[in-house]
Amino acid sequence: DDIVLIRPGDKIPVDGVVIEGESSVDESMITGESLPVKKTVGANVVGATINKTGAFKFRATKVGADTALAQIVKLVQIAQNSKAPSQRLADRAAQWLVAAAVIFGLATFFGWYFLGGAVIPVDMDKFVWALTMAITVVVIACPDALGLATPTAVMVATGLGAQNGILYKNATALEQAAKLEAVIFDKTGTLTEGKPQVVEVMVTANPLTNDELLRLVASAEQSSEHPLAQAVVEKAKAQNLTLETVDGFEAIPGHGLRAMVSGKTLLVGNRKLMKDNRIALDGHAEHAASLEGAGRTVIYAAINSQFAGLIAIADAVRSTAKVAVEKLNAMGVQVAMLTGDNRATAERIAGELGIQTIFAEVLPGQKADKVKELQSQGKLVAMVGDGINDAPALAQADVGIAIGAGTDVAMETADVVLMKSDPFDVIGAITLSRATLRKMHQNLWWAAGYNTIAFPIAAGLFYPAFGLVLRPEIAALSMSGSSLLVAINALLLKRTRLEGIKAKEINPNG
């Protein structure tokens, strides 16, 4: 029951309940949502979140292992421990091949020594001939090509991925990404920019243009630290609009502001501010309601007691998100979106991107359950996220993919990290993995085929009929040639053109 004082900019240390004051708290690292949450007396606060503007006191209710952050960490550990390690086909084959080489070598020795006397050249000692054949079998059966089949492809692929900002943490992730059947994207900060942006400006009067309304509102908002105000100011600056000095600025808590800009009296805020000042919306209420219903935050503006227009703000979709979703669908990969947002906001974003599967109103502790839900359908699932709250789901997924702008916890938990924070890089990660797996299979088939043909030749089985015999030194050269071919085939991956991956250009001048 300790009482903790939190000032603007402070990180909240533990979970608790506000007992005095009010503020806005950035809970994005826990919930993943971009807009700060207003906290008043009686509201719950969560440890590891950041206070924004006001000061308040709260009573600590959960500390140590009981906090929400600690519970998330616990979920990560459970999911990580439950993930089965990938088995290496090449390692198993190499183990069998070593055993086969020893067995075939011994069989070759004893076969020639006890049964091959009639065909062994008369000038050759039987023991030396049998031992030479056995050595040749063991040398040519050395599984170095098989051992190189996977590591060389992995080495080339991880290097090529790193050049394109895609970091695979292990070979398991590289293999698993090739087999993915579903990808779940966390909405905030992954499919979207993760911060509020102006998406629409609408004016009511013809003499007033969209740019002019934006300039006036941004001028009034420029001294505010509120994220919505900053979004308006950033939009105005992005359009190179000149902001004016403000006179008579008055903040109206919980509603908005009143200010004088260029001799005009501006009222900027929510719908209640307009209602309290008896400003009619002139038939635009329905449009504003539709914007709010679609998950946008609407800022209303009045000039000289007349409704002038509105500015809609939302967490803007990343420019490459829609193309990424289309490509994944074309590749036969199911795309799902997961968010803590309400259903209306989730459906708006999903509709823009063409996503059919939506998990909305999902609490942080439930995200891993949504991954399990798809896995229970027999699908290999990837989770793409950026926040602490995504960590359990990243760990639960067959392949966890974190974006580079995310938290340290997310990147630590993930199997793949996208350094450019671009959702389209998920395409690159999958196509590179598929190409790598093809190279692995090609190399494994070559190594296995080579040994299948080389074994009987090395054992001298064709000597009685065709006089074909392989000396140990020729066998060693042949074995090295096989390893060289495997390595060259893996290196050709660098020249392959893949969606989302820039191939290394070949210089015609060498």
Side-chain angles (χ1 to χ4, degrees):
D1 289 337
D2 290 338
I3 307 300
V4 183
L5 172 64
I6 299 294
R7 296 185 175 86
D10 284 353
K11 181 178 285 188
I12 297 170
V14 294
D15 297 0
V17 178
V18 177
I19 59 170
E20 182 183 323
E22 63 177 51
S23 182
S24 294
V25 176
D26 180 1
E27 295 186 339
S28 59
M29 70 184 312
I30 297 295
T31 65
E33 300 314 313
S34 55
L35 290 176
V37 179
K38 187 176 181 180
K39 300 292 182 182
T40 56
V41 174
N44 291 319
V45 291
V46 182
T49 56
I50 298 171
N51 184 34
K52 300 293 282 184
T53 52
F56 63 90
K57 291 181 180 178
F58 77 93
R59 179 183 291 108
T61 56
K62 293 179 181 178
V63 298
D66 296 326
T67 63
L69 180 61
Q71 292 300 311
I72 289 173
V73 172
K74 184 180 178 182
L75 286 170
V76 172
Q77 291 172 339
I78 291 170
Q80 284 179 328
N81 292 336
S82 66
K83 184 188 290 185
S86 174
Q87 298 299 312
R88 293 286 186 275
L89 174 62
D91 290 347
R92 293 200 303 269
Q95 290 170 0
W96 283 107
L97 193 59
V98 168
V102 174
I103 293 168
F104 273 111
L106 290 172
T108 299
F109 176 81
F110 289 116
W112 279 108
Y113 189 80
F114 292 109
L115 305 173
V119 293
I120 294 175
V122 292
D123 59 338
M124 179 67 75
D125 181 77
K126 185 167 65 171
F127 176 81
V128 173
W129 177 269
L131 185 61
T132 301
M133 291 293 105
I135 290 171
T136 303
V137 167
V138 173
V139 168
I140 208 162
C142 178
D144 58 345
L146 203 58
L148 285 170
T150 299
T152 49
V154 169
M155 177 193 70
V156 173
T158 50
L160 188 57
Q163 290 172 7
N164 286 270
I166 300 168
L167 304 182
Y168 297 93
K169 290 205 180 166
N170 50 59
T172 304
L174 189 59
E175 291 177 21
Q176 293 287 77
K179 306 168 188 173
L180 289 174
E181 297 166 284
V183 176
I184 301 175
F185 285 95
D186 177 60
K187 178 186 75 71
T188 306
T190 305
L191 290 173
T192 65
E193 295 288 352
K195 62 179 183 178
Q197 293 184 358
V198 174
V199 293
E200 183 178 334
V201 180
M202 187 205 77
V203 296
T204 58
N206 288 331
L208 189 68
T209 64
N210 286 354
D211 282 356
E212 181 64 12
L213 177 65
L214 181 62
R215 186 181 71 84
L216 291 171
V217 174
S219 298
E221 297 269 29
Q222 61 186 316
S223 59
S224 174
E225 294 180 357
H226 195 282
L228 297 180
Q230 292 176 353
V232 174
V233 173
E234 285 176 10
K235 179 70 172 178
K237 288 180 177 177
Q239 295 185 191
N240 298 316
L241 302 178
T242 304
L243 303 187
E244 303 288 340
T245 54
V246 179
D247 297 319
F249 180 89
E250 178 192 351
I252 305 171
H255 294 81
L257 61 87
R258 178 183 284 107
M260 289 285 293
V261 180
S262 300
K264 299 179 175 124
T265 302
L266 262 69
L267 267 178
V268 179
N270 56 24
R271 185 181 291 220
K272 191 171 188 307
L273 180 68
M274 300 294 113
K275 184 178 179 181
D276 290 348
N277 287 270
R278 296 175 182 168
I279 294 171
L281 299 184
D282 298 332
H284 296 287
E286 187 176 332
H287 179 58
S290 69
L291 289 172
E292 289 173 340
R296 290 170 165 82
T297 302
V298 178
I299 295 176
Y300 299 83
I303 299 175
N304 296 332
S305 299
Q306 295 293 318
F307 182 60
L310 53 84
I311 298 174
I313 294 176
D315 189 4
V317 172
R318 289 184 185 269
S319 58
T320 57
K322 186 173 183 179
V323 181
V325 172
E326 290 173 352
K327 291 288 183 184
L328 284 169
N329 286 329
M331 292 163 67
V333 178
Q334 178 185 354
V335 181
M337 187 183 78
L338 185 151
T339 178
D341 279 350
N342 59 55
R343 173 65 60 173
T345 302
E347 288 180 351
R348 174 182 67 81
I349 298 288
E352 284 183 37
L353 299 175
I355 297 174
Q356 302 298 321
T357 308
I358 307 168
F359 299 116
E361 299 174 9
V362 180
L363 298 175
Q366 298 173 334
K367 291 191 174 185
D369 294 334
K370 298 302 178 184
V371 175
K372 289 179 186 176
E373 189 176 315
L374 286 184
Q375 288 174 327
S376 68
Q377 299 172 16
K379 294 179 179 177
L380 211 66
V381 180
M383 171 70 193
V384 186
D386 68 329
I388 290 176
N389 59 305
D390 298 322
L394 289 171
Q396 174 61 40
D398 298 287
V399 179
I401 303 175
I403 66 169
T407 62
D408 291 342
V409 174
M411 287 191 279
E412 181 66 29
T413 308
D415 305 300
V416 182
V417 178
L418 309 180
M419 297 308 296
K420 292 184 287 188
S421 303
D422 184 349
F424 193 79
D425 280 346
V426 174
I427 312 295
I430 294 174
T431 54
L432 180 57
S433 295
R434 288 181 176 181
T436 305
L437 203 61
R438 283 197 300 272
K439 288 294 181 187
M440 288 181 186
H441 290 163
Q442 289 168 9
N443 286 348
L444 288 170
W445 277 109
W446 165 257
Y450 160 81
N451 281 292
T452 302
I453 295 169
F455 259 133
I457 297 174
L461 295 182
F462 297 119
Y463 178 72
F466 305 105
L468 181 61
V469 66
L470 203 62
R471 294 188 57 81
E473 58 269 30
I474 303 299
L477 287 172
S478 176
M479 177 265 296
S480 300
S482 173
S483 302
L484 185 62
L485 283 174
V486 164
I488 290 171
N489 188 43
L491 288 170
L492 287 175
L493 190 61
K494 284 190 173 183
R495 309 292 185 188
T496 308
R497 295 191 178 277
L498 303 170
E499 189 79 51
I501 296 291
K502 292 179 181 176
K504 186 175 179 182
E505 295 297 331
I506 301 173
N507 185 351
N509 299 321

